[in-house]
Amino acid sequence: MPIIVHLDAMLARRGMSLTELSERVDITLANLSILKTGKARAIRFSTLEAICTALDCQPGDLLQNKDDI
């Protein structure tokens, strides 16, 4: 069950760079890049919550099951 990460699209909608998000949520740029490219194997709920708060979105706006496409 592959999960697709829509972080790029959400950043574009919010007019925010990955660097700015990194600073807002205090997560390294490298770790956000891994998430953005879909190479992450896991994500902590606290990290997902921080990203959603910074982007004013819901987890479902960022993550999608590939089977739902």
Side-chain angles (χ1 to χ4, degrees), residues 18-65:
L18 197 62
T19 302
E20 185 179 348
L21 179 62
S22 171
E23 292 168 356
R24 284 188 185 197
V25 297
D26 196 29
I27 298 170
T28 67
L29 192 55
N31 283 337
L32 281 177
S33 292
I34 290 169
L35 180 62
K36 183 183 83 163
T37 59
K39 295 180 182 178
R41 308 274 292 156
I43 184 170
R44 291 184 177 152
F45 284 133
S46 58
T47 300
L48 184 58
E49 179 183 12
I51 291 170
C52 287
T53 299
L55 293 174
D56 190 29
C57 67
Q58 295 294 315
D61 297 329
L62 296 173
L63 305 173
Q64 180 181 13
N65 183 338

